[in-house]
Amino acid sequence: MTTRRKALTLIAAGCLACILSYGSTSTRAADEAPKPGATLKGKDALGDWTTDAPGVRRLITLDDLAAPFDTGSANNHPRVVKRPEGAWPKVPEGFEVTEFATGLRNPRAIVRAPNGDVFLSESQANRVRVLRDKDGDGKPEVSEVFAAGLSRPFGIAFYPPGPEPKFVYVGNTDSVVRFPYKNGDVKASGPAETIIDDVPSGKESVGGGGHWTRDLEFSSDGEILFVSVGSRSNVNDDKAETRRADILAFDPDGKNERVYATGIRNPVGLAKHPRTGQLWTSVNERDGLGDHLVPDYITQVQEGGFYGWPWYYIGGNQDPRHKGKRPELGKKVIVPDVLLQSHSASLDLTFYDGKQFPAEYHDHVFAAEHGSWNRARRTGYKVIRVPVVNGEATGEYEDFMVGFVTPSGDVWGRPVGVATAADGALLVTDDGSGTVWRVAYVGKK
């Protein structure tokens, strides 16, 4: 098809964003490709998937924020295809990627049990699965459904925190339940006990929202159960958003509900720093303001903190769709610690607490970027590393695991969850291919 015919086809389809991006280079020349260790800043940091490479760092600051509606608002959903022959995730030198488990149905959040087993949610199948690598060969010899009949489960947490938990908590889209548990159980030994029966449901969809994932995390002392609840809409501020776009806190028995932090459009992933116990979150920000607004982010969560949604974003920048509203809140908006490429769809996160990776990776954040749809040129579809020094983020982040986008722009993998395995490897769930990937450090040649 000629360039002119292609453009006419795009015009007929009403795809202005596609027209603007059509003809731009889909793959950078080798001499222009970012080099490992390079830090992209300014506009370069906002680049698409063609600028991704293991070891490339990005630093996005407040000064890099685009103006609202600087570009059109794209509707560019990925076409998920079977993994092409020869395609494989790419990681930094010294690391190796293998398949840990395959044939899974919509694998999402993943956590390590205190005894080293791996629990993961298969959300579309409404179940939680247990995987166990008994002989240390990097493959699970045990794969069992721990519990079924759930309601779009996502988050999983063990209680009490420590080596001998008594319960497994599961975050359904509309409730939190728990099962009796002792180390080594691969089947729930009793029925689900409902701890919270009225978590705002993610089953509805209003304005393209209806965020349904509910992640769970316990405070280090086991006194607080944190539950993440995304917004029902993209940017509405009506009563339907009550108890949404928040991180809620409860006693472990589900009582004494309080709001821990607000204005967080979709805090998909929760994790606590292994040394400080500080709560962190990975957030999907709003859509509809253009290709480069609003940055997704990863941040420490301040108790009582307000992060802007829906009236403001990334500090006191007012969303033009709420012009003039809630002026008293403008100076209260917390700027997140790490700004990510807009529309990356940052999902789950974990702190690396293993010993296999080099020391420079210890206590750093790994986060899964599920990939964009509200952007003319794709971004995300990767796992990133966020350097954390003495409990504080440096502000930049690094591409760690990439390669899920084909040269034509189709997608064969979509990272969701990340966890450190008992042997120190990093496990990554991929709901595009139904796979859990294992990333091990084998040493530089």
Side-chain angles (χ1 to χ4, degrees):
M1 182 180 288
T2 66
T3 300
R4 183 173 183 274
R5 284 184 63 196
K6 177 69 172 178
L8 290 173
T9 301
L10 295 174
I11 291 171
C15 184
L16 176 59
C18 295
I19 297 167
L20 294 174
S21 65
Y22 180 74
S24 58
T25 304
S26 60
T27 305
R28 292 166 64 98
D31 59 349
E32 296 178 347
K35 303 296 190 294
T39 299
L40 303 179
K41 300 179 180 180
K43 290 185 177 180
D44 287 341
L46 309 180
D48 58 33
W49 65 274
T50 64
T51 62
D52 292 345
V56 170
R57 294 195 171 195
R58 300 174 191 273
L59 178 63
I60 300 174
T61 70
L62 287 171
D63 292 338
D64 301 321
L65 296 182
F69 311 118
D70 189 45
T71 70
S73 182
N75 189 353
N76 186 22
H77 288 273
R79 187 169 76 99
V80 180
V81 299
K82 183 178 179 181
R83 179 168 61 87
E85 185 176 355
W88 203 254
K90 299 177 177 61
V91 289
E93 183 184 358
F95 291 88
E96 179 182 71
V97 181
T98 57
E99 291 178 332
F100 182 71
T102 59
L104 301 168
R105 184 177 173 191
N106 194 225
R108 302 286 285 180
I110 184 169
V111 299
R112 184 185 76 239
N115 75 325
D117 287 349
V118 175
F119 279 61
L120 65 86
S121 54
E122 292 180 279
S123 300
Q124 287 182 359
N126 296 318
R127 65 195 180 204
V128 168
R129 180 176 295 276
V130 182
L131 302 172
R132 178 183 298 164
D133 179 3
K134 297 172 63 176
D135 58 8
D137 66 350
K139 291 277 190 179
E141 287 73 40
V142 175
S143 178
E144 296 283 352
V145 173
F146 179 81
L150 300 167
S151 179
R152 300 187 82 181
F154 187 79
I156 303 168
F158 296 88
Y159 177 82
E164 298 290 339
K166 296 180 179 179
F167 297 97
V168 175
Y169 282 63
V170 178
N172 287 319
T173 191
D174 53 2
S175 67
V176 176
V177 300
R178 70 183 183 185
F179 297 89
Y181 174 78
K182 65 179 183 299
N183 282 330
D185 286 352
V186 295
K187 297 283 187 182
S189 60
E193 176 189 1
T194 300
I195 298 299
I196 307 167
D197 63 3
D198 64 343
V199 174
S201 176
K203 294 178 180 178
E204 305 92 350
S205 178
V206 175
H211 298 113
W212 61 269
T213 56
R214 306 288 177 257
D215 205 9
L216 308 177
E217 185 67 59
F218 279 102
S219 59
S220 296
D221 60 10
E223 295 296 316
I224 303 174
L225 169 63
F226 297 105
V227 181
S228 67
V229 182
S231 67
R232 187 177 180 183
S233 68
N234 181 40
V235 74
N236 293 351
D237 61 352
D238 55 25
K239 291 183 179 179
E241 297 296 350
T242 301
R243 298 172 67 223
R244 294 177 181 270
D246 296 332
I247 295 174
L248 303 178
F250 301 83
D251 293 346
D253 60 4
K255 298 178 180 178
N256 194 25
E257 177 182 338
R258 57 266 195 204
V259 177
Y260 191 80
T262 62
I264 309 176
R265 179 177 176 261
N266 191 15
V268 182
L270 299 177
K272 62 177 180 284
H273 191 285
R275 301 187 190 278
T276 69
Q278 175 67 44
L279 184 69
W280 289 61
T281 187
S282 169
V283 178
N284 281 193
E285 251 292 352
R286 70 206 75 188
D287 300 314
L289 291 179
D291 280 1
H292 301 300
L293 279 182
V294 171
D296 288 349
Y297 59 85
I298 291 170
T299 191
Q300 300 180 61
V301 183
Q302 297 184 25
E303 184 174 6
F306 173 60
Y307 291 81
W309 189 90
W311 305 285
Y312 297 89
Y313 61 87
I314 314 299
N317 295 286
Q318 186 151 48
D319 191 308
R321 295 165 293 193
H322 290 293
K323 186 176 181 180
K325 289 185 178 181
R326 305 302 300 270
E328 76 281 7
L329 295 178
K331 293 183 179 180
K332 297 181 179 180
V333 184
I334 297 171
V335 177
D337 294 325
V338 184
L339 304 186
L340 310 178
Q341 291 156 289
S342 298
H343 313 298
S344 291
S346 196
L347 298 191
D348 217 355
L349 78 165
T350 194
F351 285 89
Y352 181 78
D353 61 357
K355 297 181 180 179
Q356 184 192 103
F357 286 14
E360 65 188 270
Y361 291 85
H362 293 183
D363 294 344
H364 286 198
V365 168
F366 284 91
E369 311 304 303
H370 199 229
S372 64
W373 69 267
N374 187 226
R375 201 173 190 273
R377 295 187 61 79
R378 305 204 187 290
T379 193
Y381 308 97
K382 60 186 176 182
V383 174
I384 62 172
R385 174 170 72 109
V386 176
V388 177
V389 179
N390 296 324
E392 302 291 333
T394 63
E396 60 188 355
Y397 65 99
E398 180 180 279
D399 294 345
F400 181 75
M401 185 180 188
V402 304
F404 295 103
V405 185
T406 72
S408 63
D410 292 331
V411 172
W412 62 266
R414 304 194 74 178
V416 178
V418 280
T420 310
D423 65 358
L426 187 73
L427 301 179
V428 179
T429 64
D430 163 12
D431 69 358
S433 68
T435 302
V436 177
W437 300 98
R438 179 179 182 270
V439 185
Y441 186 71
V442 296
K444 296 182 179 180
K445 297 179 180 180

